[in-house]
Amino acid sequence: TIHFTIEKTNIPTIIKFVSNAVLTRGTHEFNASEEAADSPLTQKLFEFPFIKKIQISANFIAIESIDNLDWELVQEDVKDFIQNFIKQDLKESEQQVMYQNNVLEVYMESTPNPNTMKFATNRLLAVNDATFISLEDAEHSLLAQELFSFDYVTEVFFSENYVAVTKNNFKEWDEIQTSLRAFIKSFIESGQEIIKENYNQNTSSDIYDFDALDETSKQIVAILDKYVKPAVASDGGNIAFHSYDTDSKVVSVILQGACNGCPSSTVTLKNGIEQMLKQMIPNKIEMVKAING
């Protein structure tokens, strides 16, 4: 049975409805009902007059409201609507509930990082993003430990419904990708715990208390959450806020998954994220730098 829970975000106008099942492959954004011809559920959601934008990714639906809405007043109604729509007319809404938790699928996707391959599934693998860079570092994930038994694996990144595996230069993907996919599929089918329950890695949002951040840092986190994370997640990576120095105006971020070591990550940071932050938070940003990669 599919059910949803409500999860607040760092952006007051955006709320997430998180499912216990994978809803779709990739990330889909809709700004109006006209853009959602293949998604009856999304079309119906836009009938709520306060809904401005909808994003569906992996196991959640993120909805942005108009500025003056108090989500507390309507969030339960929206959750019930989504849940009932899917339960009552699953066939009609199959564009957004594409895979059920019966037959396991594992499919491979290349990433902008030539050394990283994304193995996506129709199962929820991780509640929180987690990166492991060595066998010793992987004590909280049996699957990561097993993957590090392959001498070419240098990093393992989990995010919701996929695992991104980074290799060294001693093997080519066409030599190993099929057997690696089969190995990951077999491990998941075995029912073994992928990441220890309630494990929160101290590398992303857990590294800071959002409420204790200064106003500029809160703005940075909100911009990364809204504009950056969805884009890089589709490529098998993540860029997480680490800190902001008010004196030097330098933003420090953490590169995870395919973003770590990616040849294009410097361009993304400088020409993408840095310029975006400078435009959206004038006179507050001098530079964006990665503390790893």
Side-chain angles (χ1 to χ4, degrees), residues 3-278:
H3 66 265
F4 287 81
T5 56
I6 297 170
E7 183 179 303
K8 293 182 178 179
T9 73
N10 293 324
I11 306 170
T13 55
I14 297 179
I15 198 163
K16 289 170 70 173
F17 298 90
V18 183
S19 171
N20 63 329
V22 173
L23 304 176
T24 187
R25 287 179 177 169
T27 298
H28 309 275
E29 291 189 358
F30 306 96
N31 294 289
S33 178
E34 295 75 27
E35 299 177 4
D38 294 326
S39 175
L41 172 58
T42 306
Q43 290 178 326
K44 289 293 184 182
L45 284 171
F46 273 117
E47 292 180 7
F48 287 94
F50 51 81
I51 290 181
K52 185 177 177 182
K53 185 175 181 179
I54 297 170
Q55 178 193 105
I56 302 179
S57 179
N59 69 314
F60 69 83
I61 300 173
I63 299 179
E64 182 178 355
S65 71
I66 55 178
D67 292 339
N68 60 351
L69 177 76
D70 182 355
W71 266 114
E72 295 286 344
L73 299 176
V74 298
Q75 61 187 23
E76 289 293 338
D77 290 338
V78 175
K79 185 194 79 170
D80 290 344
F81 176 84
I82 294 171
Q83 204 156 268
N84 290 334
F85 184 93
I86 291 174
K87 284 181 179 178
Q88 293 172 8
D89 205 349
L90 185 61
K91 188 172 183 179
E92 182 183 357
S93 61
E94 64 186 356
Q95 288 292 330
Q96 294 308 336
V97 185
M98 295 172 66
Y99 311 104
Q100 300 307 299
N101 291 328
N102 42 23
V103 179
L104 174 66
E105 291 188 36
V106 177
Y107 50 97
M108 299 176 292
E109 297 178 4
S110 58
T111 75
N113 187 340
N115 282 332
T116 301
M117 182 73 71
K118 179 179 174 183
F119 297 85
T121 79
N122 59 331
R123 302 284 174 89
L124 183 60
L125 303 182
V127 176
N128 300 298
D129 292 350
T131 302
F132 304 100
I133 59 174
S134 68
L135 177 60
E136 294 72 26
D137 183 47
E139 61 178 311
H140 296 285
S141 170
L142 183 55
L143 177 52
Q145 291 177 31
E146 295 287 342
L147 287 170
F148 279 116
S149 68
F150 296 97
D151 59 8
Y152 52 80
V153 173
T154 61
E155 183 176 332
V156 178
F157 173 66
F158 293 99
S159 183
E160 296 171 342
N161 69 319
Y162 71 83
V163 52
V165 178
T166 302
K167 66 170 183 65
N168 56 32
N169 293 321
F170 300 121
K171 293 281 188 179
E172 298 299 327
W173 280 118
D174 56 8
E175 299 177 65
I176 59 176
Q177 61 186 21
T178 301
S179 59
L180 196 56
R181 173 190 173 276
F183 178 83
I184 292 171
K185 186 173 187 290
S186 176
F187 185 96
I188 297 172
E189 287 176 331
S190 73
Q192 298 179 80
E193 189 175 42
I194 293 171
I195 297 179
K196 289 184 179 178
E197 190 175 0
N198 300 323
Y199 171 62
N200 284 324
Q201 189 173 56
N202 193 34
T203 56
S204 55
S205 59
D206 303 302
I207 202 167
Y208 57 83
D209 178 0
F210 180 79
D211 293 330
L213 294 177
D214 61 86
E215 287 306 310
T216 302
S217 294
K218 288 181 179 179
Q219 287 179 279
I220 294 167
V221 171
I223 291 169
L224 291 177
D225 284 353
K226 184 175 181 178
Y227 298 104
V228 177
K229 287 179 181 288
V232 296
S234 64
D235 287 331
N238 186 40
I239 297 177
F241 174 79
H242 179 270
S243 60
Y244 169 70
D245 188 299
T246 55
D247 295 325
S248 65
K249 300 180 182 178
V250 172
V251 180
S252 297
V253 297
I254 299 170
L255 304 181
Q256 297 175 307
C259 293
N260 189 11
C262 178
S264 62
S265 62
T266 300
V267 176
T268 301
L269 286 178
K270 295 298 177 184
N271 297 345
I273 298 170
E274 186 174 284
Q275 291 304 312
M276 181 191 301
L277 291 175
K278 285 180 176 180

